[in-house]
Each structure stands twice: as structure tokens, then as C-alpha cells.
């Protein structure tokens, strides 16, 4: 069974069909990229999956259960994690405390949060920080982190919640080419180990073609292609949307 199965999902804003009868599925453990020009409907799709927006019509099946229109918190509880929406970490806490809080919250101990809890889950939090390459920063205040490091902490926090599906809308926004590759490579390694499925958007075609197992392409709210890197590169409609006909994807950044 697919982890996530979108069926004829639609959402309009006034007269704009932001997402128009979009259907695709994500398999278990799949690293799926969603691409498309600005305004194609990618974020609207993400926001329907995570519950921030209710679809006008269509279904969103999470392991067979329709989650369309549920509240974000309920969708999160069902195992749909997300990262990188905003800098979600709390600046007044240390890095490791932020991750501990996620672990404690995931364990359902939210009400114990504000008691002295320095040792609670610290070992597991440190282990997660080591996995995202941030062990050294554990006892620094979160507010002191560099931008790229905040993203790594957010990844650790997302993993603390043990999602079955992770949504990442433009995780590498604002990053240079090298940092983009490093972050996506790290995400892929960590999710593959855990069998987590990922849906992500990314502007760098180099990154998409290097790491995605499969790619879906949106244009003006419609799904125009769904396939592996070779199929997407060769797809005439996709080329036309990005470049007009005849050009290649080499070096493309939209
Ligand atoms: P993408 O993430 O692919 O750039 P979006 O999903 O953000 O695209 O936007 C798709 C379309 O829906 C665009 O035309 C955008 O202007 C419109 N849109 C998105 N969100 C809203 C909103 N909250 N209110 C009105 N129009 C919106
Ligand atoms: Mg967007």
C-alpha cells in the first residue's frame, strides 16, 4: 500500500485553480520530489497534506485513511512530519534542549515539559544531534546558530517525532549549491535508514536529479508528469514549462 495517496485533489483561491485534480502516490521509503515553476501549486499541495488548508475536493489517503480536512495537529499525530517551514526552534533553549523537548513531546509527556528535565532524553537527543552532524553544538543557545545549522536541528526535531512521512517544502531555500547537496544528501541518508517516505520541493534541478527516487511535476495547478529522472528529463511538456522546447536541464535553477 502507498504511504500517501492523493486522489483528484483540488483547491481554488477565488478564481485561481491553485491545485487542480492532482493525483499521485508516495510509496514506503520513497524520496519523492515535487517540482514546478513558481505558482504551480506545490505549497498549496503541501498545506493540504499537512492540514493547514482543507481541500475543496479530493481525498488524501494516509495508509488508507482519509486525512483531508483534519487539523494539522491530528495529521502530525498520525505520523506526518514537516520541517523547515519557519525557524521552528526556540531561541532561549539550548540546541539539545530543543531536541529533548521534541522527544518528550513525542513520548506524550508534554505536561512534564517545564519541570527541570535536563537529563530526560538527553542521551537520545545527543545521538540525534550526532546523526545530523550537530553534536558539538548541543549546549549552545539555539539563537546563536547559523542558518544552515538551524535546518539540521529542525531535521533532528522532525526525526524525534518518528514520522512515517516527512514533508519538506523548499528545505534548502537560501542555501548555496554545496550546502543544498549536503542537506538533501543527509536527509536522504537518515530517512532511508528509517524507512521514512519524503515529499520535498527543491529549486535546484541538479539536486532533484541527483537524489529523488521519483519526480512529480506541477504546472498551473495540474500534474503534468510523474516519473524517474530520466523520464522527467526527456518529457517534452516538462521542458516546455521550464524553458520552451528544445533545451536541456543542465544547470537549470528556476
Ligand atoms: P508554489 O508553491 O508552486 O509556488 P503555491 O501553491 O504557493 O505555488 O501557489 C499556487 C497558486 O495559488 C498561485 O497562483 C498563488 O498565487 C495562489 N495562492 C496560493 N496561496 C494563496 C492564498 N492563500 N490566497 C490566494 N491565492 C493563493
Ligand atoms: Mg511554494
Amino acid at each position: 500500500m502507498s504511504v500517501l495517496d492523493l486522489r483528484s485533489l483540488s483547491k481554488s483561491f477565488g478564481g485561481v485553480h491553485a491545485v487542480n485534480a492532482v493525483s499521485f502516490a508516495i510509496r514506503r521509503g520513497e524520496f519523492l520530489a515535487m517540482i514546478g515553476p513558481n505558482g504551480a501549486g506545490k505549497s498549496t499541495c503541501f498545506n493540504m497534506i499537512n492540514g493547514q488548508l482543507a481541500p475543496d475536493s479530493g481525498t488524501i489517503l494516509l495508509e488508507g485513511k482519509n486525512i483531508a480536512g483534519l487539523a494539522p495537529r491530528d495529521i502530525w499525530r498520525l505520523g506526518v512530519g514537516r520541517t523547515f517551514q519557519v525557524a521552528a526552534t526556540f531561541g532561549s533553549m539550548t540546541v539539545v534542549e530543543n531536541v529533548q523537548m521534541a522527544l518528550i513531546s513525542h513520548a506524550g509527556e508534554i505536561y512534564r515539559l517545564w519541570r527541570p528535565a535536563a537529563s530526560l532524553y538527553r542521551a537520545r537527543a545527543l545521538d540525534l544531534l550526532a546523526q545530523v552532524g550537530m553534536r558539538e553544538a548541543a549546549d549552545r543557545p539555539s539563537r546563536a546558530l547559523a542558518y544552515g545549522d538551524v535546518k539540521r536541528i529542525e531535521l533532528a526535531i522532525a526525526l524525534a517525532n518518528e514520522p512515517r512521512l516527512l514533508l519538506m517544502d523548499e528545505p534548502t531555500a537560501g542555501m548555496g549549491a554545496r550546502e543544498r547537496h549536503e542537506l538533501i544528501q543527509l536527509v536522504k541518508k537518515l530517512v532511508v535508514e528509517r524507512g521514512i517516505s519524503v515529499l520535498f520541493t527543491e529549486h535546484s534541478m541538479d539536486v532533484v536529479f541527483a537524489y529523488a527516487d521519483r519526480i512529480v511535476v506541477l504546472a498551473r495547478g495540474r500534474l503534468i508528469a510523474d516519473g524517474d529522472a530520466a523520464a522527467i528529463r526527456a518529457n517534452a511538456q516538462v521542458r516546455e514549462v521550464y524553458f520552451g522546447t528544445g533545451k536541456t536541464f543542465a544547470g537549470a535553477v528556476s
Side-chain angles (χ1 to χ4, degrees):
M1 196 201 311
S2 302
V3 171
L4 194 78
D5 193 352
L6 306 188
R7 297 193 183 163
S8 200
L9 203 60
S10 295
K11 180 77 184 177
S12 295
F13 299 104
V16 178
H17 291 291
V19 172
N20 197 346
V22 165
S23 301
F24 66 89
I26 306 175
R27 289 184 277 271
R28 188 176 311 282
E30 197 169 34
F31 205 65
L32 180 64
M34 177 185 277
I35 66 170
N38 282 332
K42 303 181 297 296
S43 292
T44 304
C45 250
F46 274 72
N47 289 334
M48 288 192 279
I49 300 167
N50 70 36
Q52 288 195 309
L53 285 173
D56 295 336
S57 59
T59 53
I60 304 171
L61 301 175
L62 180 68
E63 289 182 345
K65 176 185 159 66
N66 189 11
I67 59 166
L70 292 187
R73 183 85 193 163
D74 293 327
I75 292 174
W76 178 81
R77 277 204 194 95
L78 290 169
V80 180
R82 58 191 167 121
T83 60
F84 315 133
Q85 292 282 321
V86 282
T89 51
F90 294 91
S92 61
M93 288 193 278
T94 65
V95 167
V96 70
E97 281 168 352
N98 265 294
V99 180
Q100 279 170 257
M101 199 178 86
L103 288 166
I104 292 165
S105 164
H106 179 61
E109 297 183 22
I110 191 90
Y111 297 112
R112 289 166 53 183
L113 218 64
W114 302 111
R115 291 189 195 169
S119 63
L120 256 186
Y121 298 97
R122 183 176 163 93
R124 277 176 63 199
L126 290 175
D127 182 47
L128 272 171
L129 285 174
Q131 292 184 53
V132 299
M134 291 296 294
R135 174 64 185 80
E136 309 288 281
D139 295 309
R140 272 191 240 149
S142 298
R143 78 169 76 81
L145 291 173
Y147 181 74
D149 291 344
V150 170
K151 306 245 166 187
R152 287 170 182 262
I153 303 304
E154 288 183 0
L155 177 59
I157 287 171
L159 294 176
N161 289 314
E162 300 184 331
R164 35 186 155 167
L165 170 68
L166 191 55
L167 304 174
M168 305 192 306
D169 194 2
E170 301 198 27
T172 67
M175 289 184 168
R178 187 182 159 164
E179 217 181 358
R180 279 171 189 253
H181 276 273
E182 283 175 359
L183 184 72
I184 297 297
Q185 199 168 28
L186 174 67
V187 172
K188 184 158 185 182
K189 173 179 176 284
L190 294 177
V191 300
V192 163
E193 286 169 6
R194 291 165 166 79
I196 298 170
S197 309
V198 171
L199 177 65
F200 72 109
T201 63
E202 166 60 49
H203 281 292
S204 162
M205 293 299 170
D206 284 350
V207 171
V208 167
F209 288 143
Y211 302 106
D213 294 323
R214 210 177 102 224
I215 301 159
V216 293
V217 187
L218 292 190
R220 292 200 206 93
R222 290 205 176 264
L223 190 120
I224 62 164
D226 179 342
D228 64 14
I232 297 302
R233 272 183 213 272
N235 185 297
Q237 213 182 342
V238 175
R239 287 175 180 231
E240 195 173 322
V241 159
Y242 275 91
F243 306 108
T245 46
K247 295 189 185 168
T248 72
F249 275 109
V253 176
S254 80

